[in-house]
Amino acid sequence: PSRTFHGNNRLLTSQIISYYVSINQYKKELPEYFNFASDVLDEWARLEKDGKKPANPAFWWVNEEGEEVKWSFEELGSLSRKAANVLSEACGLQRGDRVVAVLPRVPEWWLVNVACMRAGIVFFPGTSQLTAKDILYRLQASKAKCFITNDTLAPAVESVLPESQFLKSKLIVGRGNRDGWLNLKELL
């Protein structure tokens, strides 16, 4: 049996374990290629659009001041496609390239995460408490070609630029402009 939550059936732990066991025993057919953004999010958007699934937010974010960002599956799909285009076109990234994202808890963190999945770009998240030395280590170890952050953390990235030979583009999340940085909101 399954429980109903917001009109959706949820799997119980026993069902999840049963499914996992069947996969391990090769009783379930696994796709050769799987992309969460296109295979799950886009499918849910299609089901909502066709009226086969009740409309629920795919993403719902509320900050300390009570401001909300609420995206449907269709909106998240559309925005993540645009963000994937920003990464591949404006930032020049290709499938398999690496991106380091050091952002506070903002909607763009999730948007970039889904965009990376969609485009086949490897996403490396980092806490906003990283120091310049931490950032340099992550850039060198990951060989990231793009760094995504906000105005507050950009100076720490700029301080290590001479030592980060793989970095090709810098993307800032915020309202303002910064020399040498692309602005995500403007490009979307």
Side-chain angles (χ1 to χ4, degrees), residues 125-146:
T127 175
S128 56
Q129 297 173 333
L130 294 176
T131 65
K133 181 180 174 183
D134 299 327
I135 290 169
L136 177 60
Y137 172 77
R138 281 158 178 78
L139 283 171
Q140 290 175 335
S142 70
K143 299 178 182 172
K145 291 187 178 180
C146 180

Side-chain angles (χ1 to χ4, degrees), residues 51-109:
K52 295 178 182 176
K53 182 178 181 333
N56 283 316
F59 179 81
W60 193 348
W61 175 86
V62 182
N63 70 8
E64 291 148 359
E65 289 82 40
E67 296 172 293
E68 291 184 358
V69 172
K70 196 184 291 189
W71 295 325
S72 68
F73 285 96
E74 189 173 349
E75 290 169 321
L76 180 57
S78 174
L79 286 169
S80 67
R81 280 188 287 281
K82 288 178 182 179
N85 286 337
V86 167
L87 294 173
S88 61
E89 294 170 12
C91 297
L93 301 175
Q94 299 176 352
R95 181 176 296 280
D97 284 344
R98 297 166 188 100
V99 168
V100 175
V102 178
L103 291 166
R105 294 178 183 170
V106 293
E108 291 82 4
W109 187 93

